[in-house]
Amino acid sequence: MINQETKQDVLPRLRKIEGQIRGIQRMVEKERYCIDIINQVTAAQRALDQVSLEVMKRHIESCVANAIKSDGGGPIIGELMETIYKFIR
Amino acid sequence: MINQETKQDVLPRLRKIEGQIRGIQRMVEKERYCIDIINQVTAAQRALDQVSLEVMKRHIESCVANAIKSDGGGPIIGELMETIYKFIR
Amino acid sequence: MINQETKQDVLPRLRKIEGQIRGIQRMVEKERYCIDIINQVTAAQRALDQVSLEVMKRHIESCVANAIKSDGGGPIIGELMETIYKFIR
Amino acid sequence: MINQETKQDVLPRLRKIEGQIRGIQRMVEKERYCIDIINQVTAAQRALDQVSLEVMKRHIESCVANAIKSDGGGPIIGELMETIYKFIR
């Protein structure tokens, strides 16, 4: 489960990313140089990677760890692997 | 250069992505299931891929094509390759 | 730890990938169409993704699970997150 | 079209990658630490990225440039974008 610490790490990142997306909209509206736009999109994607990794770390430390301790690790590890698979592609 | 057609394709996508990012913030605030949050982040990243590819296509069709026609393709192709490199990593 | 099952899953995949890499070398030597070469490289990379995911699943089921059960999950989860981070970029 | 320069750049890389894949097979056979195996797979994938980018650069400088000069850039740019799309996912 998401906890207070993850919230405090992840929410400011997401607000900054929201600002980046709005910034990219303005770049498109003002017909800024294509390469600069693409680089900003890439920066937002890398920032989203950090959000996913932070939430995934918390997920493993809480839900996955609890399931493993109560011997129910199988399905939750399967679900995690599927999520990593989607995440990398 | 970004043109009207690219704007009309890309701006609605970016507004939708901005909404997705806000949706992810609400999911974090409400402590929704970690895996669902990560999957939403992944969806936003895939949507951003489409924005980059659309802008890159337009860039190749306009700036890169013009540079090639006036025999100045070298530096702009180098810049494009660097951008693709950053984009994939 | 890698076990017999993972070996039997992963080794044939790796031998096939080795064949794909040799195939790509022949394509380059014969000056085949660039796009066909790139698509074959992409196919080999996707096959390598499967190898990493298979080994990572096994790692979580064995090393990570054991560490969590003996309350030493912290460092091994940190190491796993770093590996996922390198894997996605 | 692949030329002599691209061959001389790309073939040694591919031979080295073939060696990396064989090294990973040995690591699996000897049941080496999972994380070390995954990191080697990631290294091979990054080396394959360089092959793709090198071939793509050459493709843009030759086939795409020629098509653009003879006003047939449309389909070949479409094909390139599709290849980049598959490459990044």
Side-chain angles (χ1 to χ4, degrees), chain D:
Chain D
M1 278 282 285
I2 293 285
N3 62 357
Q4 216 48 36
E5 201 192 322
T6 315
K7 270 191 197 177
Q8 272 164 22
D9 179 280
V10 156
L11 280 176
R13 289 178 191 270
L14 284 166
R15 281 186 213 109
K16 201 186 150 198
I17 293 164
E18 195 193 321
Q20 287 177 291
I21 304 295
R22 269 200 297 269
I24 297 165
Q25 287 173 46
R26 280 190 300 273
M27 291 176 85
V28 172
E29 274 158 10
K30 290 179 182 170
E31 303 180 9
R32 290 274 300 277
Y33 187 48
C34 301
I35 292 292
D36 293 339
I37 296 173
I38 297 169
N39 285 338
Q40 280 308 106
V41 173
T42 297
Q45 289 177 305
R46 293 304 77 83
L48 285 167
D49 279 343
Q50 292 302 326
V51 171
S52 274
L53 288 167
E54 213 52 61
V55 175
M56 197 181 288
K57 184 164 176 278
R58 174 65 197 152
H59 178 64
I60 296 173
E61 287 168 350
S62 59
C63 309
V64 176
N66 290 339
I68 284 169
K69 280 176 193 160
S70 64
D71 261 338
I76 210 166
I77 292 173
E79 183 190 53
L80 174 66
M81 296 318 298
E82 235 176 85
T83 303
I84 296 174
Y85 179 73
K86 276 190 261 177
F87 179 41
I88 58 165
R89 290 305 95 207

Side-chain angles (χ1 to χ4, degrees), chain A residues 1-4 6-7 10-11 14-15 17-18 21-22 24-35 37-39 41-42 44-49 51-52 55-56 58-59 62-63 76 79-80 82-83 86-89, chain B residues 1-4 6-7 10-11 14-15 17-18 21-22 24-35 37-39 41-42 44-49 51-52 55-56 58-59 62-63 76 79-80 82-83 86-89:
Chain A
M1 278 282 285
I2 293 285
N3 62 357
Q4 215 48 36
T6 315
K7 268 190 197 179
V10 156
L11 280 176
L14 284 166
R15 280 186 212 109
I17 293 165
E18 195 192 323
I21 304 295
R22 269 199 297 269
I24 297 166
Q25 288 174 44
R26 279 190 300 272
M27 290 176 85
V28 172
E29 274 158 11
K30 289 180 183 170
E31 303 180 8
R32 291 274 300 277
Y33 188 45
C34 301
I35 293 292
I37 296 172
I38 297 169
N39 285 338
V41 173
T42 297
Q45 288 177 306
R46 293 304 76 84
L48 285 167
D49 279 343
V51 171
S52 274
V55 175
M56 197 180 288
R58 174 66 196 150
H59 178 64
S62 58
C63 309
I76 210 166
E79 183 191 53
L80 174 65
E82 234 177 88
T83 303
K86 276 189 261 178
F87 178 40
I88 60 164
R89 291 303 96 210
Chain B
M1 278 280 284
I2 292 285
N3 63 355
Q4 216 48 37
T6 314
K7 269 190 197 179
V10 156
L11 280 176
L14 285 165
R15 281 187 211 109
I17 293 164
E18 195 193 324
I21 304 296
R22 270 199 297 268
I24 297 166
Q25 288 173 46
R26 279 190 300 272
M27 290 176 85
V28 172
E29 275 158 9
K30 291 181 183 171
E31 303 179 9
R32 289 275 300 276
Y33 187 48
C34 300
I35 293 291
I37 295 172
I38 297 168
N39 285 337
V41 173
T42 298
Q45 289 177 306
R46 292 304 78 83
L48 285 167
D49 279 342
V51 170
S52 273
V55 174
M56 196 181 288
R58 175 64 196 153
H59 178 64
S62 58
C63 309
I76 210 165
E79 181 190 53
L80 175 65
E82 234 178 86
T83 303
K86 276 189 261 176
F87 178 40
I88 60 163
R89 291 304 95 209

